mmCIF file with all atom_site columns, all heavy atoms in Angstrom:
data_model
loop_
_atom_site.group_PDB
_atom_site.id
_atom_site.type_symbol
_atom_site.label_atom_id
_atom_site.label_alt_id
_atom_site.label_comp_id
_atom_site.label_asym_id
_atom_site.label_entity_id
_atom_site.label_seq_id
_atom_site.pdbx_PDB_ins_code
_atom_site.Cartn_x
_atom_site.Cartn_y
_atom_site.Cartn_z
_atom_site.occupancy
_atom_site.B_iso_or_equiv
_atom_site.pdbx_formal_charge
_atom_site.auth_seq_id
_atom_site.auth_comp_id
_atom_site.auth_asym_id
_atom_site.auth_atom_id
_atom_site.pdbx_PDB_model_num
ATOM 1   N N   . TRP A 1 114 ? -17.894 124.111 67.930 1.00 0.00 ? 114 TRP A N   1
ATOM 2   C CA  . TRP A 1 114 ? -17.526 123.995 69.195 1.00 0.00 ? 114 TRP A CA  1
ATOM 3   C C   . TRP A 1 114 ? -16.128 123.241 69.193 1.00 0.00 ? 114 TRP A C   1
ATOM 4   O O   . TRP A 1 114 ? -15.193 123.635 69.831 1.00 0.00 ? 114 TRP A O   1
ATOM 5   C CB  . TRP A 1 114 ? -18.431 123.025 70.064 1.00 0.00 ? 114 TRP A CB  1
ATOM 6   C CG  . TRP A 1 114 ? -17.950 122.676 71.326 1.00 0.00 ? 114 TRP A CG  1
ATOM 7   C CD1 . TRP A 1 114 ? -17.512 121.541 71.815 1.00 0.00 ? 114 TRP A CD1 1
ATOM 8   C CD2 . TRP A 1 114 ? -17.770 123.675 72.420 1.00 0.00 ? 114 TRP A CD2 1
ATOM 9   N NE1 . TRP A 1 114 ? -17.105 121.574 73.111 1.00 0.00 ? 114 TRP A NE1 1
ATOM 10  C CE2 . TRP A 1 114 ? -17.285 122.932 73.487 1.00 0.00 ? 114 TRP A CE2 1
ATOM 11  C CE3 . TRP A 1 114 ? -17.893 125.020 72.604 1.00 0.00 ? 114 TRP A CE3 1
ATOM 12  C CZ2 . TRP A 1 114 ? -16.818 123.386 74.697 1.00 0.00 ? 114 TRP A CZ2 1
ATOM 13  C CZ3 . TRP A 1 114 ? -17.691 125.501 73.855 1.00 0.00 ? 114 TRP A CZ3 1
ATOM 14  C CH2 . TRP A 1 114 ? -16.989 124.748 74.986 1.00 0.00 ? 114 TRP A CH2 1
ATOM 15  N N   . ALA A 1 115 ? -15.992 122.184 68.330 1.00 0.00 ? 115 ALA A N   1
ATOM 16  C CA  . ALA A 1 115 ? -14.773 121.482 68.319 1.00 0.00 ? 115 ALA A CA  1
ATOM 17  C C   . ALA A 1 115 ? -13.618 122.339 67.854 1.00 0.00 ? 115 ALA A C   1
ATOM 18  O O   . ALA A 1 115 ? -12.548 122.399 68.448 1.00 0.00 ? 115 ALA A O   1
ATOM 19  C CB  . ALA A 1 115 ? -14.921 120.277 67.326 1.00 0.00 ? 115 ALA A CB  1
ATOM 20  N N   . VAL A 1 116 ? -13.915 123.243 66.862 1.00 0.00 ? 116 VAL A N   1
ATOM 21  C CA  . VAL A 1 116 ? -12.855 124.080 66.456 1.00 0.00 ? 116 VAL A CA  1
ATOM 22  C C   . VAL A 1 116 ? -12.472 125.191 67.406 1.00 0.00 ? 116 VAL A C   1
ATOM 23  O O   . VAL A 1 116 ? -11.341 125.417 67.707 1.00 0.00 ? 116 VAL A O   1
ATOM 24  C CB  . VAL A 1 116 ? -13.230 124.753 65.033 1.00 0.00 ? 116 VAL A CB  1
ATOM 25  C CG1 . VAL A 1 116 ? -12.206 125.847 64.550 1.00 0.00 ? 116 VAL A CG1 1
ATOM 26  C CG2 . VAL A 1 116 ? -13.275 123.760 63.873 1.00 0.00 ? 116 VAL A CG2 1
ATOM 27  N N   . LEU A 1 117 ? -13.528 125.681 68.106 1.00 0.00 ? 117 LEU A N   1
ATOM 28  C CA  . LEU A 1 117 ? -13.290 126.787 69.033 1.00 0.00 ? 117 LEU A CA  1
ATOM 29  C C   . LEU A 1 117 ? -12.598 126.337 70.223 1.00 0.00 ? 117 LEU A C   1
ATOM 30  O O   . LEU A 1 117 ? -11.603 126.942 70.725 1.00 0.00 ? 117 LEU A O   1
ATOM 31  C CB  . LEU A 1 117 ? -14.626 127.463 69.447 1.00 0.00 ? 117 LEU A CB  1
ATOM 32  C CG  . LEU A 1 117 ? -15.275 128.281 68.475 1.00 0.00 ? 117 LEU A CG  1
ATOM 33  C CD1 . LEU A 1 117 ? -16.653 128.794 69.051 1.00 0.00 ? 117 LEU A CD1 1
ATOM 34  C CD2 . LEU A 1 117 ? -14.382 129.516 68.154 1.00 0.00 ? 117 LEU A CD2 1
ATOM 35  N N   . GLN A 1 118 ? -12.931 125.189 70.763 1.00 0.00 ? 118 GLN A N   1
ATOM 36  C CA  . GLN A 1 118 ? -12.187 124.539 71.884 1.00 0.00 ? 118 GLN A CA  1
ATOM 37  C C   . GLN A 1 118 ? -10.878 124.030 71.517 1.00 0.00 ? 118 GLN A C   1
ATOM 38  O O   . GLN A 1 118 ? -9.894  124.275 72.403 1.00 0.00 ? 118 GLN A O   1
ATOM 39  C CB  . GLN A 1 118 ? -13.002 123.465 72.550 1.00 0.00 ? 118 GLN A CB  1
ATOM 40  C CG  . GLN A 1 118 ? -13.240 122.212 71.798 1.00 0.00 ? 118 GLN A CG  1
ATOM 41  C CD  . GLN A 1 118 ? -12.256 121.202 71.845 1.00 0.00 ? 118 GLN A CD  1
ATOM 42  O OE1 . GLN A 1 118 ? -11.476 121.007 72.712 1.00 0.00 ? 118 GLN A OE1 1
ATOM 43  N NE2 . GLN A 1 118 ? -12.039 120.397 70.773 1.00 0.00 ? 118 GLN A NE2 1
ATOM 44  N N   . ALA A 1 119 ? -10.602 123.640 70.320 1.00 0.00 ? 119 ALA A N   1
ATOM 45  C CA  . ALA A 1 119 ? -9.239  123.388 69.906 1.00 0.00 ? 119 ALA A CA  1
ATOM 46  C C   . ALA A 1 119 ? -8.429  124.598 69.870 1.00 0.00 ? 119 ALA A C   1
ATOM 47  O O   . ALA A 1 119 ? -7.193  124.541 70.260 1.00 0.00 ? 119 ALA A O   1
ATOM 48  C CB  . ALA A 1 119 ? -9.232  122.747 68.482 1.00 0.00 ? 119 ALA A CB  1
ATOM 49  N N   . LEU A 1 120 ? -8.889  125.711 69.434 1.00 0.00 ? 120 LEU A N   1
ATOM 50  C CA  . LEU A 1 120 ? -8.110  127.013 69.378 1.00 0.00 ? 120 LEU A CA  1
ATOM 51  C C   . LEU A 1 120 ? -7.899  127.521 70.820 1.00 0.00 ? 120 LEU A C   1
ATOM 52  O O   . LEU A 1 120 ? -6.704  127.876 71.078 1.00 0.00 ? 120 LEU A O   1
ATOM 53  C CB  . LEU A 1 120 ? -8.965  128.027 68.684 1.00 0.00 ? 120 LEU A CB  1
ATOM 54  C CG  . LEU A 1 120 ? -9.027  127.864 67.128 1.00 0.00 ? 120 LEU A CG  1
ATOM 55  C CD1 . LEU A 1 120 ? -10.008 128.927 66.539 1.00 0.00 ? 120 LEU A CD1 1
ATOM 56  C CD2 . LEU A 1 120 ? -7.753  127.838 66.453 1.00 0.00 ? 120 LEU A CD2 1
ATOM 57  N N   . VAL A 1 121 ? -8.772  127.316 71.755 1.00 0.00 ? 121 VAL A N   1
ATOM 58  C CA  . VAL A 1 121 ? -8.493  127.685 73.110 1.00 0.00 ? 121 VAL A CA  1
ATOM 59  C C   . VAL A 1 121 ? -7.476  126.814 73.695 1.00 0.00 ? 121 VAL A C   1
ATOM 60  O O   . VAL A 1 121 ? -6.582  127.410 74.324 1.00 0.00 ? 121 VAL A O   1
ATOM 61  C CB  . VAL A 1 121 ? -9.898  127.678 73.905 1.00 0.00 ? 121 VAL A CB  1
ATOM 62  C CG1 . VAL A 1 121 ? -9.637  127.826 75.478 1.00 0.00 ? 121 VAL A CG1 1
ATOM 63  C CG2 . VAL A 1 121 ? -10.856 128.723 73.462 1.00 0.00 ? 121 VAL A CG2 1
ATOM 64  N N   . VAL A 1 122 ? -7.579  125.498 73.489 1.00 0.00 ? 122 VAL A N   1
ATOM 65  C CA  . VAL A 1 122 ? -6.605  124.622 74.157 1.00 0.00 ? 122 VAL A CA  1
ATOM 66  C C   . VAL A 1 122 ? -5.133  124.971 73.490 1.00 0.00 ? 122 VAL A C   1
ATOM 67  O O   . VAL A 1 122 ? -4.189  124.941 74.180 1.00 0.00 ? 122 VAL A O   1
ATOM 68  C CB  . VAL A 1 122 ? -7.040  123.143 73.954 1.00 0.00 ? 122 VAL A CB  1
ATOM 69  C CG1 . VAL A 1 122 ? -5.992  122.186 74.346 1.00 0.00 ? 122 VAL A CG1 1
ATOM 70  C CG2 . VAL A 1 122 ? -8.355  122.950 74.736 1.00 0.00 ? 122 VAL A CG2 1
ATOM 71  N N   . ALA A 1 123 ? -5.142  125.191 72.168 1.00 0.00 ? 123 ALA A N   1
ATOM 72  C CA  . ALA A 1 123 ? -3.760  125.434 71.539 1.00 0.00 ? 123 ALA A CA  1
ATOM 73  C C   . ALA A 1 123 ? -3.423  126.752 72.055 1.00 0.00 ? 123 ALA A C   1
ATOM 74  O O   . ALA A 1 123 ? -2.106  126.947 72.318 1.00 0.00 ? 123 ALA A O   1
ATOM 75  C CB  . ALA A 1 123 ? -4.115  125.520 70.083 1.00 0.00 ? 123 ALA A CB  1
ATOM 76  N N   . GLY A 1 124 ? -4.197  127.736 72.252 1.00 0.00 ? 124 GLY A N   1
ATOM 77  C CA  . GLY A 1 124 ? -3.850  129.054 72.942 1.00 0.00 ? 124 GLY A CA  1
ATOM 78  C C   . GLY A 1 124 ? -3.187  128.759 74.268 1.00 0.00 ? 124 GLY A C   1
ATOM 79  O O   . GLY A 1 124 ? -2.219  129.431 74.728 1.00 0.00 ? 124 GLY A O   1
ATOM 80  N N   . PHE A 1 125 ? -3.771  127.934 75.091 1.00 0.00 ? 125 PHE A N   1
ATOM 81  C CA  . PHE A 1 125 ? -3.268  127.555 76.446 1.00 0.00 ? 125 PHE A CA  1
ATOM 82  C C   . PHE A 1 125 ? -1.883  127.082 76.377 1.00 0.00 ? 125 PHE A C   1
ATOM 83  O O   . PHE A 1 125 ? -0.919  127.385 76.992 1.00 0.00 ? 125 PHE A O   1
ATOM 84  C CB  . PHE A 1 125 ? -4.188  126.575 77.283 1.00 0.00 ? 125 PHE A CB  1
ATOM 85  C CG  . PHE A 1 125 ? -5.264  127.222 78.021 1.00 0.00 ? 125 PHE A CG  1
ATOM 86  C CD1 . PHE A 1 125 ? -6.623  126.606 77.847 1.00 0.00 ? 125 PHE A CD1 1
ATOM 87  C CD2 . PHE A 1 125 ? -5.044  128.321 78.730 1.00 0.00 ? 125 PHE A CD2 1
ATOM 88  C CE1 . PHE A 1 125 ? -7.606  127.222 78.560 1.00 0.00 ? 125 PHE A CE1 1
ATOM 89  C CE2 . PHE A 1 125 ? -6.135  128.827 79.535 1.00 0.00 ? 125 PHE A CE2 1
ATOM 90  C CZ  . PHE A 1 125 ? -7.351  128.283 79.335 1.00 0.00 ? 125 PHE A CZ  1
ATOM 91  N N   . ALA A 1 126 ? -1.727  126.233 75.395 1.00 0.00 ? 126 ALA A N   1
ATOM 92  C CA  . ALA A 1 126 ? -0.444  125.509 75.105 1.00 0.00 ? 126 ALA A CA  1
ATOM 93  C C   . ALA A 1 126 ? 0.596   126.572 74.770 1.00 0.00 ? 126 ALA A C   1
ATOM 94  O O   . ALA A 1 126 ? 1.686   126.532 75.396 1.00 0.00 ? 126 ALA A O   1
ATOM 95  C CB  . ALA A 1 126 ? -0.488  124.422 74.039 1.00 0.00 ? 126 ALA A CB  1
ATOM 96  N N   . LEU A 1 127 ? 0.309   127.423 73.800 1.00 0.00 ? 127 LEU A N   1
ATOM 97  C CA  . LEU A 1 127 ? 1.240   128.508 73.401 1.00 0.00 ? 127 LEU A CA  1
ATOM 98  C C   . LEU A 1 127 ? 1.615   129.432 74.487 1.00 0.00 ? 127 LEU A C   1
ATOM 99  O O   . LEU A 1 127 ? 2.764   129.568 74.879 1.00 0.00 ? 127 LEU A O   1
ATOM 100 C CB  . LEU A 1 127 ? 0.628   129.291 72.279 1.00 0.00 ? 127 LEU A CB  1
ATOM 101 C CG  . LEU A 1 127 ? 1.387   130.508 71.836 1.00 0.00 ? 127 LEU A CG  1
ATOM 102 C CD1 . LEU A 1 127 ? 2.811   130.014 71.237 1.00 0.00 ? 127 LEU A CD1 1
ATOM 103 C CD2 . LEU A 1 127 ? 0.754   131.300 70.858 1.00 0.00 ? 127 LEU A CD2 1
ATOM 104 N N   . LEU A 1 128 ? 0.621   129.812 75.336 1.00 0.00 ? 128 LEU A N   1
ATOM 105 C CA  . LEU A 1 128 ? 0.922   130.745 76.482 1.00 0.00 ? 128 LEU A CA  1
ATOM 106 C C   . LEU A 1 128 ? 1.781   130.032 77.541 1.00 0.00 ? 128 LEU A C   1
ATOM 107 O O   . LEU A 1 128 ? 2.478   130.589 78.102 1.00 0.00 ? 128 LEU A O   1
ATOM 108 C CB  . LEU A 1 128 ? -0.399  131.264 76.987 1.00 0.00 ? 128 LEU A CB  1
ATOM 109 C CG  . LEU A 1 128 ? -1.059  132.359 75.919 1.00 0.00 ? 128 LEU A CG  1
ATOM 110 C CD1 . LEU A 1 128 ? -2.451  132.641 76.573 1.00 0.00 ? 128 LEU A CD1 1
ATOM 111 C CD2 . LEU A 1 128 ? -0.240  133.579 75.714 1.00 0.00 ? 128 LEU A CD2 1
ATOM 112 N N   . GLN A 1 129 ? 1.362   128.814 77.836 1.00 0.00 ? 129 GLN A N   1
ATOM 113 C CA  . GLN A 1 129 ? 2.120   127.984 78.892 1.00 0.00 ? 129 GLN A CA  1
ATOM 114 C C   . GLN A 1 129 ? 3.548   127.744 78.385 1.00 0.00 ? 129 GLN A C   1
ATOM 115 O O   . GLN A 1 129 ? 4.529   127.831 79.228 1.00 0.00 ? 129 GLN A O   1
ATOM 116 C CB  . GLN A 1 129 ? 1.336   126.659 79.091 1.00 0.00 ? 129 GLN A CB  1
ATOM 117 C CG  . GLN A 1 129 ? 0.086   126.949 79.829 1.00 0.00 ? 129 GLN A CG  1
ATOM 118 C CD  . GLN A 1 129 ? -0.876  125.633 79.741 1.00 0.00 ? 129 GLN A CD  1
ATOM 119 O OE1 . GLN A 1 129 ? -0.689  124.807 78.823 1.00 0.00 ? 129 GLN A OE1 1
ATOM 120 N NE2 . GLN A 1 129 ? -1.927  125.657 80.515 1.00 0.00 ? 129 GLN A NE2 1
ATOM 121 N N   . HIS A 1 130 ? 3.750   127.466 77.113 1.00 0.00 ? 130 HIS A N   1
ATOM 122 C CA  . HIS A 1 130 ? 5.079   127.183 76.616 1.00 0.00 ? 130 HIS A CA  1
ATOM 123 C C   . HIS A 1 130 ? 5.924   128.503 76.791 1.00 0.00 ? 130 HIS A C   1
ATOM 124 O O   . HIS A 1 130 ? 7.061   128.534 77.209 1.00 0.00 ? 130 HIS A O   1
ATOM 125 C CB  . HIS A 1 130 ? 5.023   126.788 75.220 1.00 0.00 ? 130 HIS A CB  1
ATOM 126 C CG  . HIS A 1 130 ? 6.296   126.656 74.469 1.00 0.00 ? 130 HIS A CG  1
ATOM 127 N ND1 . HIS A 1 130 ? 7.314   125.713 74.784 1.00 0.00 ? 130 HIS A ND1 1
ATOM 128 C CD2 . HIS A 1 130 ? 7.008   127.491 73.753 1.00 0.00 ? 130 HIS A CD2 1
ATOM 129 C CE1 . HIS A 1 130 ? 8.322   125.784 74.205 1.00 0.00 ? 130 HIS A CE1 1
ATOM 130 N NE2 . HIS A 1 130 ? 8.197   126.904 73.417 1.00 0.00 ? 130 HIS A NE2 1
ATOM 131 N N   . ARG A 1 131 ? 5.388   129.558 76.297 1.00 0.00 ? 131 ARG A N   1
ATOM 132 C CA  . ARG A 1 131 ? 6.037   130.866 76.477 1.00 0.00 ? 131 ARG A CA  1
ATOM 133 C C   . ARG A 1 131 ? 6.375   131.273 77.901 1.00 0.00 ? 131 ARG A C   1
ATOM 134 O O   . ARG A 1 131 ? 7.451   131.782 78.235 1.00 0.00 ? 131 ARG A O   1
ATOM 135 C CB  . ARG A 1 131 ? 5.244   132.063 75.828 1.00 0.00 ? 131 ARG A CB  1
ATOM 136 C CG  . ARG A 1 131 ? 5.293   132.060 74.379 1.00 0.00 ? 131 ARG A CG  1
ATOM 137 C CD  . ARG A 1 131 ? 4.504   133.253 73.886 1.00 0.00 ? 131 ARG A CD  1
ATOM 138 N NE  . ARG A 1 131 ? 4.898   133.507 72.498 1.00 0.00 ? 131 ARG A NE  1
ATOM 139 C CZ  . ARG A 1 131 ? 4.300   134.382 71.713 1.00 0.00 ? 131 ARG A CZ  1
ATOM 140 N NH1 . ARG A 1 131 ? 3.348   135.167 72.259 1.00 0.00 ? 131 ARG A NH1 1
ATOM 141 N NH2 . ARG A 1 131 ? 4.541   134.633 70.456 1.00 0.00 ? 131 ARG A NH2 1
#
Side-chain angles (χ1 to χ4, degrees):
W114 175 252
V116 171
L117 288 177
Q118 62 85 31
L120 290 172
V121 168
V122 172
F125 275 133
L127 175 66
L128 293 171
Q129 291 160 346
H130 174 74
R131 283 184 162 176

